[in-house]
Amino acid sequence: IQEVLAYKGELDLLERFKKWDPPRFPVTGHHLTEAGVPKGRAMSVVLHKLKEQWKQSNFELTLEEMVTRIPDTLLSITQEDFKTSPKMGKRKRNKSKQR
């Protein structure tokens, strides 16, 4: 991205991009387990729903606020959620980055 911005002469945007600290999703599987979410597909669905809520808040919900939402989010799961929510699991490393 930086090279494209520099090539296009977008130097102000390039400087802002360099200083930008992207938001990190605060909730982990550990938080979900502590809140009673069963491991497996249900955990993936709850995590997906929480991420959607976090996006809707413009990434402003805190960890504490997100954790308080876990029980209601778990209770809101439907069969359709299991079909439509993306599967999440351990990330596989990109082989090109293993060098």
Side-chain angles (χ1 to χ4, degrees):
I1 293 175
Q2 293 181 34
E3 291 175 10
V4 172
L5 291 173
Y7 178 77
K8 288 184 152 195
E10 300 281 349
L11 302 181
D12 289 339
L13 187 55
L14 174 60
E15 286 307 311
R16 286 190 0 221
F17 180 76
K18 285 180 179 180
K19 295 175 184 175
W20 178 58
D21 188 21
R24 295 187 68 116
F25 185 64
V27 180
T28 66
H30 180 71
H31 296 110
L32 298 179
T33 302
E34 282 187 346
V37 177
K39 291 186 179 188
R41 190 75 174 117
M43 189 174 279
S44 295
V45 173
V46 170
L47 199 57
H48 175 71
K49 285 181 159 243
L50 288 172
K51 283 183 180 181
E52 289 302 315
Q53 293 173 30
W54 188 57
K55 286 182 207 175
Q56 292 297 318
S57 78
N58 199 28
F59 312 102
E60 293 182 4
L61 288 171
T62 65
L63 171 61
E64 293 76 21
E65 292 169 323
M66 297 297 296
V67 168
T68 63
R69 293 171 177 241
I70 294 172
D72 288 339
T73 302
L74 179 60
L75 292 174
S76 74
I77 293 176
T78 65
Q79 287 295 325
E80 190 63 25
D81 291 326
F82 283 100
K83 296 176 188 173
T84 60
S85 182
K87 292 182 179 180
M88 296 181 185
K90 292 187 178 183
R91 294 183 191 163
K92 293 183 181 178
R93 291 183 84 189
N94 184 337
K95 291 185 180 188
S96 65
K97 291 184 180 180
Q98 291 179 350
R99 296 179 197 176

